């Protein structure tokens, strides 16, 4: 029944908005503010996800407040000082050799280098 009511009101909103979906959605939202049955029917399919999101946000905010800011700094410093941490100039990881260039590329580089030698 409730989803039938939503469909009926949605079709009514589309007709009232002159087939413009954006205006129809806005009109349906305005109607739902004054019609509790419509609002409940619109929200019902999404209510469990909305509740889960509220719990997730609350627990994330709480865990952020519980964390000691100095622990973040110490963990960051320990990560930086760690021997496993790679830097831009790091050669700790075995590097594979660069791919071989084509003959054409080698000739182009040789010509370019030779042209600079002449001047």
């Amino acid at each position: 029944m409730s989803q039938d009511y939503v469909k009926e009101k949605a079709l009514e909103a589309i007709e009232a908005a002159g087939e413009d979906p954006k205006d129809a959605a806005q009109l349906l939202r305005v109607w739902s503010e004054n019609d509790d049955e419509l609002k409940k029917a619109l929200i019902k399919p999404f209510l469990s996800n909305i509740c889960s999101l509220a719990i997730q946000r609350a627990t994330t905010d709480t865990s952020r407040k519980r964390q000691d800011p100095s622990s973040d700094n110490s963990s960051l410093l320990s990560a930086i000082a760690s021997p496993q941490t790679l830097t831009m100039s790091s050669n700790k990881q075995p590097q594979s050799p660069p791919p071989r260039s084509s003959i054409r590329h080698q000739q182009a580089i040789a010509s370019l280098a030779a042209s600079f030698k002449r001047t």
Side-chain angles (χ1 to χ4, degrees):
M1 163 66 188
S2 62
Q3 292 307 310
D4 291 335
Y5 183 60
V6 170
K7 185 175 181 178
E8 176 187 327
K9 294 302 274 185
L11 291 172
E12 187 179 333
I14 290 170
E15 186 178 322
E19 303 293 321
D20 183 355
K22 189 174 181 179
D23 288 345
Q26 179 69 19
L27 183 57
L28 192 61
R29 186 190 63 79
V30 170
W31 287 347
S32 72
E33 290 174 1
N34 299 320
D35 184 344
D36 286 337
E37 183 182 349
L38 177 60
K39 183 184 278 188
K40 286 178 187 176
L42 284 168
I43 293 172
K44 186 177 180 179
F46 306 102
L47 189 57
S48 64
N49 288 337
I50 292 169
C51 293
S52 296
L53 179 62
I55 297 299
Q56 181 183 5
R57 285 182 177 170
T59 56
T60 302
D61 290 345
T62 304
S63 67
R64 283 186 189 158
K65 288 178 184 175
R66 283 189 210 152
Q67 280 183 340
D68 181 17
S70 62
S71 70
D72 288 342
N73 293 337
S74 64
S75 64
L76 178 61
L77 290 174
S78 63
I80 291 171
S82 169
Q84 284 82 26
T85 304
L86 297 178
T87 62
M88 291 181 70
S89 62
S90 177
N91 58 3
K92 296 174 187 169
Q93 293 286 331
Q95 299 283 327
S96 61
R100 289 200 38 88
S101 57
S102 68
I103 299 292
R104 184 174 175 214
H105 179 77
Q106 291 174 6
Q107 290 171 344
I109 295 298
S111 309
L112 187 60
S115 69
F116 280 102
K117 283 184 180 179
R118 289 184 205 139
T119 55

